Amino acid sequence: MPVVIQRSRLKTSLALAGVVLFLVAGWFLIRSEDPTGVLIGWVGIVVFGLFGVAGVAMILRRGPGLVVDDVGFTDASSVVAMGRVPWSDVVNVWEWKASSTTNIVVTVRDPEAYVARLRGPARWAARANVGMVGSPVALASTGLRISSGDLFELLSSRLSAYQERHPVGPDGDVGGRR
């Protein structure tokens, strides 16, 4: 039976409030007479402006953020969402902690195939994920109505159940994957 996880407009709105604070701070830095402050202010406004646009896009997006079922999951949780990921492509699921945020990394067999699905800034972000964690599929519970611990448990248990039903063959293929 599929597990449907809705997006959290509250969490996304709170993140947008933080973005606004950084934009205001950037504006004040630009108004300073210090050339370093002006440079930092402009960089901050560009970066957090992009985060703001992405946050607004996520608030306006309709439908669930993540659907997990027996054959894989469909990720629509962020602007770097991967779409459908079958369990047969998944090697493992693990937690990656960066600062105060925990992301759930889903290591896939062919990361470049998943990067190729995306365009523009989403592709750049996916490539950065591959460089940092070895996979383009990194899920954050920030925009979802689930905690990162519960998200990790859900994905881990569904992957384990799939692997029990489809054991790895002698050639390393999972469950007859072609």
Side-chain angles (χ1 to χ4, degrees):
M1 174 172 236
V3 176
V4 177
I5 301 167
Q6 298 297 328
R7 286 188 189 84
S8 173
R9 285 191 165 72
L10 175 62
K11 287 182 184 178
T12 305
S13 296
L14 291 172
L16 276 174
V19 164
V20 169
L21 291 175
F22 278 103
L23 288 171
V24 169
W27 183 75
F28 278 111
L29 284 170
I30 288 171
R31 296 193 48 163
S32 74
E33 305 261 332
D34 178 33
T36 303
V38 171
L39 177 64
I40 291 171
W42 278 114
V43 169
I45 284 178
V46 169
V47 168
F48 287 99
L50 291 172
F51 286 157
V53 169
V56 169
M58 290 312 300
I59 286 177
L60 296 176
R61 188 179 277 181
R62 300 278 182 233
L66 188 68
V67 178
V68 183
D69 58 35
D70 292 339
V71 293
F73 62 92
T74 304
D75 172 28
S77 63
S78 70
V79 293
V80 191
M82 281 296 150
R84 187 70 181 164
V85 178
W87 293 126
S88 60
D89 282 355
V90 176
V91 176
N92 68 1
V93 176
W94 56 282
E95 293 177 296
W96 176 59
K97 295 180 193 243
S99 189
S100 63
T101 305
T102 300
N103 291 290
I104 310 307
V105 178
V106 179
T107 306
V108 292
R109 294 183 190 288
D110 186 2
E112 282 306 312
Y114 283 87
V115 170
R117 292 181 178 185
L118 304 173
R119 299 284 173 253
R123 182 179 277 189
W124 301 333
R127 280 201 199 288
N129 282 345
V130 171
M132 287 187 297
V133 298
S135 177
V137 186
L139 306 172
S141 66
T142 308
L144 297 170
R145 292 184 188 167
I146 191 171
S147 71
S148 58
D150 289 344
L151 179 58
F152 175 72
E153 275 304 312
L154 172 64
L155 294 175
S156 295
S157 66
R158 289 294 179 107
L159 175 60
S160 292
Y162 177 84
Q163 289 172 335
E164 285 176 15
R165 289 188 317 272
H166 306 280
V168 176
D171 59 356
D173 265 351
V174 176
R177 183 177 176 273
R178 312 249 181 265

